[in-house]
Amino acid sequence: MSQTAAVRLNYELTKPSEVGRGVRQGCLISPTLFNVYAEAMMKEALDDLKEGICVGGELVQSVRYADDQAMTANTEKGLQKILDETNKVVKKYGMKINIK
């Protein structure tokens, strides 16, 4: 795509750098693309797991807001199972989990 980007620092632009992948920051479609990608990963990771907590008769395995996510389970073993499967899938998608 041959895109470049520069950062404004102390009222001056840095030297342009090539954008290797992804969408431009501030692009209107970025949040939608992120949500589609994140939802696909989570669906693949969690669909076959029976771990989570029951809320109103529904199994809740994760709670997501914007780009943050929390996993839920009744036991430590169940939570570890969810995290292991999620980690496996996100690596397959070329992503990594930031635990901070």
Side-chain angles (χ1 to χ4, degrees), residues 65-85:
Y65 180 76
D67 63 348
D68 291 323
Q69 180 160 341
M71 305 306 212
T72 63
N74 283 328
T75 66
E76 187 176 330
K77 185 177 178 181
L79 183 58
Q80 189 63 56
K81 197 174 191 181
I82 288 174
L83 290 172
D84 289 343
E85 190 62 30

Side-chain angles (χ1 to χ4, degrees), residues 3-61:
Q3 292 181 344
T4 60
V7 176
R8 186 174 308 278
L9 184 63
N10 295 329
Y11 304 102
E12 293 183 24
L13 288 177
T14 61
K15 185 172 89 176
S17 298
E18 185 175 330
V19 176
R21 62 190 238 195
V23 293
R24 291 183 191 187
Q25 191 71 18
C27 176
L28 296 177
I29 199 166
S30 293
T32 302
L33 291 175
F34 175 82
N35 285 334
V36 167
Y37 202 73
E39 188 62 30
M41 287 187 298
M42 292 298 89
K43 184 168 177 47
E44 185 175 332
L46 302 176
D47 261 1
D48 294 332
L49 293 179
K50 302 299 180 217
E51 308 296 336
I53 58 172
C54 191
V55 177
E58 294 290 325
L59 183 64
V60 177
Q61 297 169 307

